[in-house]
Amino acid sequence: MRETKDRILDALECVLIESGPAAATLETVAARAQVSKGGLLYHFGGKEALFNGLLDRLRELGAKDASTQNDRGALAAYLATSSRAEDAYTRTLLASMRLIGTPGIDVENAIADSLDHWADVLATTIDDPLVRRLVMLVGDGLYLRALLGAQRRPLDDDLVGLIESLATR
Amino acid sequence: MRETKDRILDALECVLIESGPAAATLETVAARAQVSKGGLLYHFGGKEALFNGLLDRLRELGAKDASTQNDRGALAAYLATSSRAEDAYTRTLLASMRLIGTPGIDVENAIADSLDHWADVLATTIDDPLVRRLVMLVGDGLYLRALLGAQRRPLDDDLVGLIESLATR
DNA sequence: GTCTATAATCGGATAGAC
DNA sequence: GTCTATCCGATTATAGAC
């Protein structure tokens, strides 16, 4: 069976995305991961440690994503990722966003870093820093909509085309 | 002295923005508003009612904003608003965003409506629906950054210029 | 490494005085 | 309309068995 620690973090993501931070009690998360409260507390010393565990995973996945997609069409990849919640990275990011404002952990910085790391990836494709910032903001907007739970309608091809025409002019 | 109800909602906004939803207990909010827990509960029957009170305020301010800024340069107004947290509307919106994922109240819809109402305002300025969607997403991105607490650097004039050139082409 | 039981705390909500 | 006192349930965390 998969590492218990990972299973617990998966469970945390589920609970956060489905029911929000208030529902993410130790007991609920433990039950979802099929361990007892005590079992969970063996792996994560407390609630803060649990949440920080999620942020660690976010940083990990972010780094992996960056190295992978450096070569592919970065722009298309970025816009696609922002509007899709199926891949592990986006799931973790969305779950982490539910923790914004939790005292004692630096969610905001972890997320901002995670978003900003795309700027480096995009730099290989888009020369104009102004256009790059525009594209970043569009991506951020897509993430906000995803956070609001908007049905994840894939970005119109037309809109992608418009953005690409800017990126390559 | 200002209406107690309003003072309580002001206090709620402060607590939410400064310390997040977990810190927004009845006691903390009441203290900040300089009333007792009992006093707060006289005006809002419970926690859900309190939170819904904030969403009501959001809808109210949104409607007011819409009618006011219909005539001005809507695009510039929108982009400016998104990146500023001083005005009442943006404060309320940012505070409401901290409630995303709270069970029992429909924060997500209230916020999505609030953001979408700008689409109508922008329609008076931007004909192309594609460009309009692009501008909306940029605005959404600015709000996400504001939620993350990014120092609210005013949007570069250059970027506004780029967007305006799209809007009027 | 995982469990059960329990201690200690905190937060929401009620009742009733003023 | 506002306060204090109180109750009750939920939640975090600890202790110790297996």
Side-chain angles (χ1 to χ4, degrees), chain A residues 65 69 72-84 87 89-90 93 97 112 114-119 121-122 125-126 131-144 155 160 163-164, chain B residues 141 144-145:
Chain A
D65 256 44
Q69 302 189 330
R72 299 204 294 145
L75 200 167
Y78 176 57
L79 294 176
T81 302
S82 319
S83 52
R84 218 179 28 192
D87 62 296
Y89 171 75
T90 305
L93 179 58
M97 283 182 175
S114 185
L115 294 177
D116 286 339
H117 106 275
W118 279 102
V121 178
L122 286 181
T125 308
I126 307 175
V131 174
R132 210 155 59 224
R133 179 143 189 248
L134 181 79
V135 172
M136 286 292 300
L137 284 171
V138 170
D140 294 347
L142 287 168
Y143 278 121
L144 179 61
L155 207 52
V160 175
I163 294 171
E164 273 173 346
Chain B
L144 178 62
R145 290 292 170 165

mmCIF file of all heavy atoms in Angstrom, chain A residues 65 69 72-84 87 89-90 93 97 112 114-119 121-122 125-126 131-144 155 160 163-164, chain B residues 141 144-145:
data_model
loop_
_atom_site.group_PDB
_atom_site.id
_atom_site.type_symbol
_atom_site.label_atom_id
_atom_site.label_comp_id
_atom_site.label_asym_id
_atom_site.label_seq_id
_atom_site.Cartn_x
_atom_site.Cartn_y
_atom_site.Cartn_z
ATOM 1 N N ASP A 65 7.389 19.923 -12.133
ATOM 2 C CA ASP A 65 6.680 20.452 -13.291
ATOM 3 C C ASP A 65 7.549 21.389 -14.114
ATOM 4 O O ASP A 65 7.555 21.348 -15.336
ATOM 5 C CB ASP A 65 5.432 21.218 -12.832
ATOM 6 C CG ASP A 65 4.183 20.403 -13.069
ATOM 7 O OD1 ASP A 65 4.222 19.206 -12.773
ATOM 8 O OD2 ASP A 65 3.195 20.975 -13.556
ATOM 9 N N GLN A 69 8.411 20.689 -18.192
ATOM 10 C CA GLN A 69 7.738 21.393 -19.273
ATOM 11 C C GLN A 69 8.546 22.539 -19.844
ATOM 12 O O GLN A 69 8.017 23.405 -20.521
ATOM 13 C CB GLN A 69 6.386 21.895 -18.762
ATOM 14 C CG GLN A 69 5.560 20.707 -18.264
ATOM 15 C CD GLN A 69 4.147 21.082 -17.949
ATOM 16 O OE1 GLN A 69 3.881 22.207 -17.559
ATOM 17 N NE2 GLN A 69 3.241 20.149 -18.133
ATOM 18 N N ARG A 72 8.564 21.888 -23.863
ATOM 19 C CA ARG A 72 7.316 21.925 -24.612
ATOM 20 C C ARG A 72 6.866 23.368 -24.817
ATOM 21 O O ARG A 72 7.440 24.298 -24.274
ATOM 22 C CB ARG A 72 6.221 21.174 -23.830
ATOM 23 C CG ARG A 72 6.559 19.712 -23.606
ATOM 24 C CD ARG A 72 5.303 18.899 -23.385
ATOM 25 N NE ARG A 72 4.597 19.238 -22.162
ATOM 26 C CZ ARG A 72 3.273 19.231 -22.039
ATOM 27 N NH1 ARG A 72 2.526 18.951 -23.089
ATOM 28 N NH2 ARG A 72 2.694 19.513 -20.905
ATOM 29 N N GLY A 73 5.814 23.526 -25.587
ATOM 30 C CA GLY A 73 5.265 24.864 -25.756
ATOM 31 C C GLY A 73 4.797 25.379 -24.412
ATOM 32 O O GLY A 73 3.719 25.025 -23.950
ATOM 33 N N ALA A 74 5.616 26.187 -23.791
ATOM 34 C CA ALA A 74 5.363 26.572 -22.408
ATOM 35 C C ALA A 74 4.051 27.331 -22.272
ATOM 36 O O ALA A 74 3.293 27.130 -21.326
ATOM 37 C CB ALA A 74 6.512 27.427 -21.881
ATOM 38 N N LEU A 75 3.792 28.187 -23.220
ATOM 39 C CA LEU A 75 2.593 29.012 -23.108
ATOM 40 C C LEU A 75 1.334 28.154 -23.097
ATOM 41 O O LEU A 75 0.510 28.249 -22.178
ATOM 42 C CB LEU A 75 2.548 29.992 -24.270
ATOM 43 C CG LEU A 75 1.668 31.226 -24.097
ATOM 44 C CD1 LEU A 75 1.978 32.248 -25.171
ATOM 45 C CD2 LEU A 75 0.194 30.896 -24.104
ATOM 46 N N ALA A 76 1.212 27.302 -24.094
ATOM 47 C CA ALA A 76 0.034 26.445 -24.176
ATOM 48 C C ALA A 76 -0.078 25.569 -22.932
ATOM 49 O O ALA A 76 -1.159 25.385 -22.370
ATOM 50 C CB ALA A 76 0.105 25.575 -25.432
ATOM 51 N N ALA A 77 1.082 25.058 -22.485
ATOM 52 C CA ALA A 77 1.075 24.197 -21.311
ATOM 53 C C ALA A 77 0.559 24.947 -20.092
ATOM 54 O O ALA A 77 -0.245 24.429 -19.317
ATOM 55 C CB ALA A 77 2.483 23.677 -21.033
ATOM 56 N N TYR A 78 1.023 26.180 -19.957
ATOM 57 C CA TYR A 78 0.620 26.970 -18.794
ATOM 58 C C TYR A 78 -0.873 27.240 -18.791
ATOM 59 O O TYR A 78 -1.566 27.003 -17.810
ATOM 60 C CB TYR A 78 1.369 28.305 -18.771
ATOM 61 C CG TYR A 78 0.937 29.202 -17.655
ATOM 62 C CD1 TYR A 78 1.014 28.768 -16.339
ATOM 63 C CD2 TYR A 78 0.444 30.477 -17.893
ATOM 64 C CE1 TYR A 78 0.621 29.574 -15.291
ATOM 65 C CE2 TYR A 78 0.050 31.286 -16.854
ATOM 66 C CZ TYR A 78 0.141 30.839 -15.557
ATOM 67 O OH TYR A 78 -0.261 31.646 -14.531
ATOM 68 N N LEU A 79 -1.367 27.687 -19.908
ATOM 69 C CA LEU A 79 -2.788 28.008 -19.981
ATOM 70 C C LEU A 79 -3.638 26.765 -19.799
ATOM 71 O O LEU A 79 -4.699 26.809 -19.181
ATOM 72 C CB LEU A 79 -3.103 28.694 -21.303
ATOM 73 C CG LEU A 79 -2.465 30.078 -21.455
ATOM 74 C CD1 LEU A 79 -2.743 30.647 -22.838
ATOM 75 C CD2 LEU A 79 -2.975 31.030 -20.386
ATOM 76 N N ALA A 80 -3.155 25.653 -20.311
ATOM 77 C CA ALA A 80 -3.902 24.415 -20.146
ATOM 78 C C ALA A 80 -3.929 23.999 -18.680
ATOM 79 O O ALA A 80 -4.974 23.664 -18.126
ATOM 80 C CB ALA A 80 -3.282 23.305 -21.001
ATOM 81 N N THR A 81 -2.765 24.045 -18.048
ATOM 82 C CA THR A 81 -2.674 23.636 -16.646
ATOM 83 C C THR A 81 -3.603 24.450 -15.765
ATOM 84 O O THR A 81 -4.310 23.925 -14.908
ATOM 85 C CB THR A 81 -1.228 23.807 -16.129
ATOM 86 O OG1 THR A 81 -0.363 23.029 -16.938
ATOM 87 C CG2 THR A 81 -1.129 23.335 -14.698
ATOM 88 N N SER A 82 -3.603 25.766 -16.019
ATOM 89 C CA SER A 82 -4.374 26.646 -15.152
ATOM 90 C C SER A 82 -5.852 26.308 -15.166
ATOM 91 O O SER A 82 -6.562 26.567 -14.214
ATOM 92 C CB SER A 82 -4.204 28.097 -15.595
ATOM 93 O OG SER A 82 -2.873 28.353 -15.943
ATOM 94 N N SER A 83 -6.323 25.739 -16.267
ATOM 95 C CA SER A 83 -7.760 25.525 -16.370
ATOM 96 C C SER A 83 -8.126 24.049 -16.261
ATOM 97 O O SER A 83 -9.196 23.638 -16.653
ATOM 98 C CB SER A 83 -8.278 26.105 -17.688
ATOM 99 O OG SER A 83 -7.522 25.620 -18.775
ATOM 100 N N ARG A 84 -7.211 23.272 -15.701
ATOM 101 C CA ARG A 84 -7.466 21.842 -15.563
ATOM 102 C C ARG A 84 -7.161 21.457 -14.119
ATOM 103 O O ARG A 84 -6.202 21.953 -13.540
ATOM 104 C CB ARG A 84 -6.521 21.089 -16.488
ATOM 105 C CG ARG A 84 -7.119 19.884 -17.158
ATOM 106 C CD ARG A 84 -6.047 19.296 -18.040
ATOM 107 N NE ARG A 84 -4.718 19.607 -17.493
ATOM 108 C CZ ARG A 84 -3.596 19.436 -18.153
ATOM 109 N NH1 ARG A 84 -3.611 19.018 -19.399
ATOM 110 N NH2 ARG A 84 -2.432 19.691 -17.588
ATOM 111 N N ASP A 87 -4.516 17.084 -13.000
ATOM 112 C CA ASP A 87 -3.161 16.678 -12.645
ATOM 113 C C ASP A 87 -2.848 17.005 -11.193
ATOM 114 O O ASP A 87 -3.436 17.887 -10.578
ATOM 115 C CB ASP A 87 -2.144 17.333 -13.573
ATOM 116 C CG ASP A 87 -2.176 18.824 -13.464
ATOM 117 O OD1 ASP A 87 -3.215 19.417 -13.804
ATOM 118 O OD2 ASP A 87 -1.170 19.404 -13.025
ATOM 119 N N TYR A 89 -0.381 18.370 -9.620
ATOM 120 C CA TYR A 89 0.100 19.699 -9.255
ATOM 121 C C TYR A 89 -1.047 20.678 -9.042
ATOM 122 O O TYR A 89 -1.111 21.383 -8.023
ATOM 123 C CB TYR A 89 1.049 20.231 -10.333
ATOM 124 C CG TYR A 89 1.433 21.668 -10.142
ATOM 125 C CD1 TYR A 89 2.344 22.038 -9.154
ATOM 126 C CD2 TYR A 89 0.883 22.669 -10.934
ATOM 127 C CE1 TYR A 89 2.693 23.354 -8.958
ATOM 128 C CE2 TYR A 89 1.234 23.992 -10.748
ATOM 129 C CZ TYR A 89 2.137 24.329 -9.767
ATOM 130 O OH TYR A 89 2.473 25.640 -9.578
ATOM 131 N N THR A 90 -1.961 20.723 -9.991
ATOM 132 C CA THR A 90 -3.071 21.664 -9.882
ATOM 133 C C THR A 90 -3.971 21.330 -8.695
ATOM 134 O O THR A 90 -4.463 22.217 -8.002
ATOM 135 C CB THR A 90 -3.891 21.681 -11.182
ATOM 136 O OG1 THR A 90 -3.028 21.950 -12.279
ATOM 137 C CG2 THR A 90 -4.960 22.756 -11.133
ATOM 138 N N LEU A 93 -2.240 22.567 -5.658
ATOM 139 C CA LEU A 93 -2.306 24.032 -5.619
ATOM 140 C C LEU A 93 -3.677 24.517 -5.179
ATOM 141 O O LEU A 93 -3.813 25.380 -4.318
ATOM 142 C CB LEU A 93 -1.959 24.589 -7.000
ATOM 143 C CG LEU A 93 -2.015 26.107 -7.147
ATOM 144 C CD1 LEU A 93 -1.076 26.783 -6.165
ATOM 145 C CD2 LEU A 93 -1.670 26.523 -8.567
ATOM 146 N N MET A 97 -4.703 26.568 -1.806
ATOM 147 C CA MET A 97 -5.378 27.870 -1.833
ATOM 148 C C MET A 97 -6.474 27.949 -0.781
ATOM 149 O O MET A 97 -6.781 29.024 -0.283
ATOM 150 C CB MET A 97 -5.982 28.117 -3.213
ATOM 151 C CG MET A 97 -4.956 28.518 -4.254
ATOM 152 S SD MET A 97 -5.737 28.860 -5.842
ATOM 153 C CE MET A 97 -4.313 29.428 -6.769
ATOM 154 N N ALA A 112 2.430 31.961 -4.004
ATOM 155 C CA ALA A 112 2.978 32.994 -4.879
ATOM 156 C C ALA A 112 4.230 32.465 -5.585
ATOM 157 O O ALA A 112 4.397 32.644 -6.792
ATOM 158 C CB ALA A 112 3.293 34.255 -4.082
ATOM 159 N N SER A 114 4.928 29.404 -6.190
ATOM 160 C CA SER A 114 4.487 28.372 -7.119
ATOM 161 C C SER A 114 3.980 28.993 -8.423
ATOM 162 O O SER A 114 4.271 28.503 -9.513
ATOM 163 C CB SER A 114 3.386 27.550 -6.451
ATOM 164 O OG SER A 114 3.022 26.481 -7.263
ATOM 165 N N LEU A 115 3.228 30.066 -8.307
ATOM 166 C CA LEU A 115 2.732 30.735 -9.505
ATOM 167 C C LEU A 115 3.862 31.423 -10.254
ATOM 168 O O LEU A 115 3.942 31.370 -11.486
ATOM 169 C CB LEU A 115 1.660 31.775 -9.127
ATOM 170 C CG LEU A 115 0.342 31.238 -8.545
ATOM 171 C CD1 LEU A 115 -0.579 32.400 -8.161
ATOM 172 C CD2 LEU A 115 -0.351 30.318 -9.540
ATOM 173 N N ASP A 116 4.746 32.047 -9.494
ATOM 174 C CA ASP A 116 5.813 32.822 -10.124
ATOM 175 C C ASP A 116 6.807 31.947 -10.883
ATOM 176 O O ASP A 116 7.431 32.402 -11.838
ATOM 177 C CB ASP A 116 6.559 33.635 -9.064
ATOM 178 C CG ASP A 116 5.730 34.824 -8.587
ATOM 179 O OD1 ASP A 116 4.816 35.221 -9.340
ATOM 180 O OD2 ASP A 116 5.990 35.329 -7.486
ATOM 181 N N HIS A 117 6.960 30.718 -10.444
ATOM 182 C CA HIS A 117 7.954 29.867 -11.097
ATOM 183 C C HIS A 117 7.607 29.677 -12.576
ATOM 184 O O HIS A 117 8.468 29.409 -13.401
ATOM 185 C CB HIS A 117 8.085 28.526 -10.376
ATOM 186 C CG HIS A 117 7.481 27.373 -11.068
ATOM 187 N ND1 HIS A 117 6.148 27.057 -10.935
ATOM 188 C CD2 HIS A 117 7.994 26.475 -11.941
ATOM 189 C CE1 HIS A 117 5.888 26.009 -11.679
ATOM 190 N NE2 HIS A 117 6.968 25.631 -12.293
ATOM 191 N N TRP A 118 6.327 29.853 -12.894
ATOM 192 C CA TRP A 118 5.926 29.778 -14.296
ATOM 193 C C TRP A 118 6.498 30.927 -15.110
ATOM 194 O O TRP A 118 6.688 30.804 -16.323
ATOM 195 C CB TRP A 118 4.408 29.777 -14.417
ATOM 196 C CG TRP A 118 3.807 28.430 -14.171
ATOM 197 C CD1 TRP A 118 3.181 28.004 -13.036
ATOM 198 C CD2 TRP A 118 3.793 27.325 -15.080
ATOM 199 N NE1 TRP A 118 2.784 26.705 -13.177
ATOM 200 C CE2 TRP A 118 3.141 26.257 -14.421
ATOM 201 C CE3 TRP A 118 4.266 27.120 -16.374
ATOM 202 C CZ2 TRP A 118 2.947 25.018 -15.027
ATOM 203 C CZ3 TRP A 118 4.070 25.881 -16.965
ATOM 204 C CH2 TRP A 118 3.422 24.849 -16.295
ATOM 205 N N ALA A 119 6.724 32.034 -14.451
ATOM 206 C CA ALA A 119 7.273 33.183 -15.163
ATOM 207 C C ALA A 119 8.606 32.811 -15.811
ATOM 208 O O ALA A 119 8.891 33.189 -16.950
ATOM 209 C CB ALA A 119 7.458 34.359 -14.199
ATOM 210 N N VAL A 121 9.548 29.788 -16.711
ATOM 211 C CA VAL A 121 9.275 28.884 -17.827
ATOM 212 C C VAL A 121 8.827 29.679 -19.050
ATOM 213 O O VAL A 121 9.292 29.454 -20.170
ATOM 214 C CB VAL A 121 8.201 27.851 -17.441
ATOM 215 C CG1 VAL A 121 7.880 26.955 -18.624
ATOM 216 C CG2 VAL A 121 8.659 27.027 -16.242
ATOM 217 N N LEU A 122 7.931 30.635 -18.806
ATOM 218 C CA LEU A 122 7.407 31.419 -19.924
ATOM 219 C C LEU A 122 8.479 32.281 -20.584
ATOM 220 O O LEU A 122 8.382 32.610 -21.764
ATOM 221 C CB LEU A 122 6.260 32.317 -19.443
ATOM 222 C CG LEU A 122 4.940 31.606 -19.140
ATOM 223 C CD1 LEU A 122 3.892 32.613 -18.698
ATOM 224 C CD2 LEU A 122 4.445 30.831 -20.353
ATOM 225 N N THR A 125 9.793 31.342 -23.881
ATOM 226 C CA THR A 125 8.910 31.446 -25.040
ATOM 227 C C THR A 125 8.551 32.881 -25.389
ATOM 228 O O THR A 125 8.482 33.257 -26.551
ATOM 229 C CB THR A 125 7.593 30.679 -24.783
ATOM 230 O OG1 THR A 125 7.899 29.362 -24.357
ATOM 231 C CG2 THR A 125 6.754 30.639 -26.047
ATOM 232 N N ILE A 126 8.336 33.677 -24.372
ATOM 233 C CA ILE A 126 7.860 35.046 -24.591
ATOM 234 C C ILE A 126 8.950 36.037 -24.220
ATOM 235 O O ILE A 126 9.368 36.101 -23.056
ATOM 236 C CB ILE A 126 6.606 35.328 -23.746
ATOM 237 C CG1 ILE A 126 5.539 34.257 -23.998
ATOM 238 C CG2 ILE A 126 6.061 36.711 -24.048
ATOM 239 C CD1 ILE A 126 4.324 34.398 -23.122
ATOM 240 N N VAL A 131 4.187 41.465 -22.182
ATOM 241 C CA VAL A 131 3.270 40.403 -22.611
ATOM 242 C C VAL A 131 3.327 39.229 -21.637
ATOM 243 O O VAL A 131 2.318 38.604 -21.320
ATOM 244 C CB VAL A 131 3.614 39.925 -24.040
ATOM 245 C CG1 VAL A 131 2.754 38.725 -24.415
ATOM 246 C CG2 VAL A 131 3.431 41.051 -25.039
ATOM 247 N N ARG A 132 4.529 38.982 -21.147
ATOM 248 C CA ARG A 132 4.683 37.885 -20.195
ATOM 249 C C ARG A 132 3.846 38.150 -18.946
ATOM 250 O O ARG A 132 3.167 37.266 -18.439
ATOM 251 C CB ARG A 132 6.161 37.738 -19.832
ATOM 252 C CG ARG A 132 6.558 36.330 -19.481
ATOM 253 C CD ARG A 132 8.036 36.089 -19.714
ATOM 254 N NE ARG A 132 8.889 36.958 -18.952
ATOM 255 C CZ ARG A 132 9.958 37.581 -19.439
ATOM 256 N NH1 ARG A 132 10.300 37.428 -20.710
ATOM 257 N NH2 ARG A 132 10.697 38.356 -18.669
ATOM 258 N N ARG A 133 3.893 39.366 -18.483
ATOM 259 C CA ARG A 133 3.107 39.684 -17.283
ATOM 260 C C ARG A 133 1.617 39.543 -17.584
ATOM 261 O O ARG A 133 0.846 39.051 -16.760
ATOM 262 C CB ARG A 133 3.439 41.111 -16.806
ATOM 263 C CG ARG A 133 2.661 41.513 -15.589
ATOM 264 C CD ARG A 133 3.397 42.381 -14.564
ATOM 265 N NE ARG A 133 2.588 42.495 -13.356
ATOM 266 C CZ ARG A 133 2.012 43.625 -12.929
ATOM 267 N NH1 ARG A 133 2.197 44.755 -13.599
ATOM 268 N NH2 ARG A 133 1.263 43.640 -11.837
ATOM 269 N N LEU A 134 1.233 39.960 -18.763
ATOM 270 C CA LEU A 134 -0.174 39.815 -19.160
ATOM 271 C C LEU A 134 -0.599 38.348 -19.125
ATOM 272 O O LEU A 134 -1.640 38.001 -18.562
ATOM 273 C CB LEU A 134 -0.388 40.394 -20.560
ATOM 274 C CG LEU A 134 -1.826 40.331 -21.078
ATOM 275 C CD1 LEU A 134 -2.657 41.445 -20.476
ATOM 276 C CD2 LEU A 134 -1.875 40.397 -22.598
ATOM 277 N N VAL A 135 0.244 37.508 -19.710
ATOM 278 C CA VAL A 135 -0.088 36.076 -19.748
ATOM 279 C C VAL A 135 -0.154 35.491 -18.341
ATOM 280 O O VAL A 135 -1.045 34.706 -18.010
ATOM 281 C CB VAL A 135 0.942 35.306 -20.604
ATOM 282 C CG1 VAL A 135 0.720 33.805 -20.485
ATOM 283 C CG2 VAL A 135 0.844 35.745 -22.054
ATOM 284 N N MET A 136 0.785 35.904 -17.507
ATOM 285 C CA MET A 136 0.767 35.433 -16.120
ATOM 286 C C MET A 136 -0.548 35.795 -15.433
ATOM 287 O O MET A 136 -1.158 34.972 -14.742
ATOM 288 C CB MET A 136 1.923 36.066 -15.331
ATOM 289 C CG MET A 136 3.286 35.526 -15.633
ATOM 290 S SD MET A 136 3.488 33.822 -15.068
ATOM 291 C CE MET A 136 3.205 34.021 -13.308
ATOM 292 N N LEU A 137 -0.966 37.025 -15.624
ATOM 293 C CA LEU A 137 -2.200 37.481 -14.971
ATOM 294 C C LEU A 137 -3.413 36.712 -15.479
ATOM 295 O O LEU A 137 -4.327 36.394 -14.720
ATOM 296 C CB LEU A 137 -2.389 38.986 -15.173
ATOM 297 C CG LEU A 137 -1.495 39.871 -14.301
ATOM 298 C CD1 LEU A 137 -1.577 41.333 -14.722
ATOM 299 C CD2 LEU A 137 -1.878 39.727 -12.829
ATOM 300 N N VAL A 138 -3.413 36.409 -16.779
ATOM 301 C CA VAL A 138 -4.508 35.602 -17.316
ATOM 302 C C VAL A 138 -4.517 34.224 -16.640
ATOM 303 O O VAL A 138 -5.562 33.718 -16.222
ATOM 304 C CB VAL A 138 -4.394 35.439 -18.841
ATOM 305 C CG1 VAL A 138 -5.397 34.409 -19.351
ATOM 306 C CG2 VAL A 138 -4.626 36.780 -19.537
ATOM 307 N N GLY A 139 -3.343 33.640 -16.488
ATOM 308 C CA GLY A 139 -3.245 32.350 -15.808
ATOM 309 C C GLY A 139 -3.735 32.438 -14.370
ATOM 310 O O GLY A 139 -4.509 31.595 -13.904
ATOM 311 N N ASP A 140 -3.310 33.497 -13.675
ATOM 312 C CA ASP A 140 -3.769 33.697 -12.299
ATOM 313 C C ASP A 140 -5.285 33.806 -12.255
ATOM 314 O O ASP A 140 -5.939 33.261 -11.363
ATOM 315 C CB ASP A 140 -3.143 34.971 -11.716
ATOM 316 C CG ASP A 140 -1.632 34.860 -11.566
ATOM 317 O OD1 ASP A 140 -1.117 33.731 -11.668
ATOM 318 O OD2 ASP A 140 -0.972 35.894 -11.345
ATOM 319 N N GLY A 141 -5.833 34.517 -13.235
ATOM 320 C CA GLY A 141 -7.289 34.654 -13.292
ATOM 321 C C GLY A 141 -7.973 33.306 -13.444
ATOM 322 O O GLY A 141 -8.986 33.034 -12.803
ATOM 323 N N LEU A 142 -7.381 32.448 -14.276
ATOM 324 C CA LEU A 142 -7.953 31.113 -14.449
ATOM 325 C C LEU A 142 -7.918 30.325 -13.148
ATOM 326 O O LEU A 142 -8.854 29.602 -12.819
ATOM 327 C CB LEU A 142 -7.185 30.357 -15.539
ATOM 328 C CG LEU A 142 -7.449 30.837 -16.969
ATOM 329 C CD1 LEU A 142 -6.440 30.233 -17.930
ATOM 330 C CD2 LEU A 142 -8.866 30.470 -17.391
ATOM 331 N N TYR A 143 -6.831 30.490 -12.386
ATOM 332 C CA TYR A 143 -6.741 29.792 -11.107
ATOM 333 C C TYR A 143 -7.794 30.298 -10.139
ATOM 334 O O TYR A 143 -8.393 29.528 -9.385
ATOM 335 C CB TYR A 143 -5.349 29.948 -10.499
ATOM 336 C CG TYR A 143 -4.341 28.971 -11.056
ATOM 337 C CD1 TYR A 143 -3.184 29.404 -11.682
ATOM 338 C CD2 TYR A 143 -4.555 27.605 -10.951
ATOM 339 C CE1 TYR A 143 -2.261 28.513 -12.197
ATOM 340 C CE2 TYR A 143 -3.637 26.701 -11.454
ATOM 341 C CZ TYR A 143 -2.490 27.155 -12.083
ATOM 342 O OH TYR A 143 -1.593 26.263 -12.586
ATOM 343 N N LEU A 144 -8.019 31.609 -10.129
ATOM 344 C CA LEU A 144 -9.043 32.142 -9.230
ATOM 345 C C LEU A 144 -10.406 31.560 -9.572
ATOM 346 O O LEU A 144 -11.164 31.158 -8.698
ATOM 347 C CB LEU A 144 -9.098 33.674 -9.311
ATOM 348 C CG LEU A 144 -10.175 34.308 -8.422
ATOM 349 C CD1 LEU A 144 -9.934 33.997 -6.955
ATOM 350 C CD2 LEU A 144 -10.265 35.807 -8.636
ATOM 351 N N LEU A 155 -10.266 26.550 -21.937
ATOM 352 C CA LEU A 155 -10.092 27.883 -22.505
ATOM 353 C C LEU A 155 -10.407 27.867 -24.006
ATOM 354 O O LEU A 155 -9.943 26.999 -24.733
ATOM 355 C CB LEU A 155 -8.640 28.308 -22.286
ATOM 356 C CG LEU A 155 -8.332 29.789 -22.195
ATOM 357 C CD1 LEU A 155 -9.221 30.450 -21.169
ATOM 358 C CD2 LEU A 155 -6.884 29.968 -21.829
ATOM 359 N N VAL A 160 -6.868 31.537 -26.732
ATOM 360 C CA VAL A 160 -5.478 31.089 -26.778
ATOM 361 C C VAL A 160 -4.784 31.685 -28.007
ATOM 362 O O VAL A 160 -3.650 32.156 -27.929
ATOM 363 C CB VAL A 160 -5.387 29.551 -26.819
ATOM 364 C CG1 VAL A 160 -3.941 29.112 -26.987
ATOM 365 C CG2 VAL A 160 -5.969 28.951 -25.542
ATOM 366 N N ILE A 163 -3.909 35.301 -27.461
ATOM 367 C CA ILE A 163 -2.769 35.453 -26.568
ATOM 368 C C ILE A 163 -1.472 35.078 -27.284
ATOM 369 O O ILE A 163 -0.444 35.742 -27.139
ATOM 370 C CB ILE A 163 -2.965 34.590 -25.304
ATOM 371 C CG1 ILE A 163 -4.142 35.138 -24.496
ATOM 372 C CG2 ILE A 163 -1.705 34.570 -24.465
ATOM 373 C CD1 ILE A 163 -4.577 34.261 -23.348
ATOM 374 N N GLU A 164 -1.547 34.019 -28.098
ATOM 375 C CA GLU A 164 -0.341 33.601 -28.800
ATOM 376 C C GLU A 164 0.107 34.639 -29.826
ATOM 377 O O GLU A 164 1.303 34.840 -30.039
ATOM 378 C CB GLU A 164 -0.566 32.241 -29.474
ATOM 379 C CG GLU A 164 -0.255 31.090 -28.525
ATOM 380 C CD GLU A 164 -0.627 29.733 -29.109
ATOM 381 O OE1 GLU A 164 -1.360 29.689 -30.115
ATOM 382 O OE2 GLU A 164 -0.179 28.715 -28.542
ATOM 383 N N GLY B 141 -7.003 37.886 -12.197
ATOM 384 C CA GLY B 141 -5.639 37.605 -11.771
ATOM 385 C C GLY B 141 -5.150 38.615 -10.749
ATOM 386 O O GLY B 141 -4.510 38.263 -9.760
ATOM 387 N N LEU B 144 -6.603 37.767 -7.438
ATOM 388 C CA LEU B 144 -5.928 36.636 -6.790
ATOM 389 C C LEU B 144 -4.634 37.095 -6.132
ATOM 390 O O LEU B 144 -4.327 36.717 -5.000
ATOM 391 C CB LEU B 144 -5.632 35.522 -7.804
ATOM 392 C CG LEU B 144 -4.886 34.328 -7.217
ATOM 393 C CD1 LEU B 144 -5.707 33.653 -6.127
ATOM 394 C CD2 LEU B 144 -4.511 33.313 -8.285
ATOM 395 N N ARG B 145 -3.900 37.944 -6.840
ATOM 396 C CA ARG B 145 -2.654 38.456 -6.263
ATOM 397 C C ARG B 145 -2.942 39.270 -5.008
ATOM 398 O O ARG B 145 -2.199 39.191 -4.015
ATOM 399 C CB ARG B 145 -1.911 39.317 -7.289
ATOM 400 C CG ARG B 145 -1.335 38.512 -8.429
ATOM 401 C CD ARG B 145 -0.198 37.631 -7.928
ATOM 402 N NE ARG B 145 0.236 36.670 -8.940
ATOM 403 C CZ ARG B 145 1.383 35.999 -8.863
ATOM 404 N NH1 ARG B 145 2.198 36.170 -7.837
ATOM 405 N NH2 ARG B 145 1.689 35.127 -9.792
#
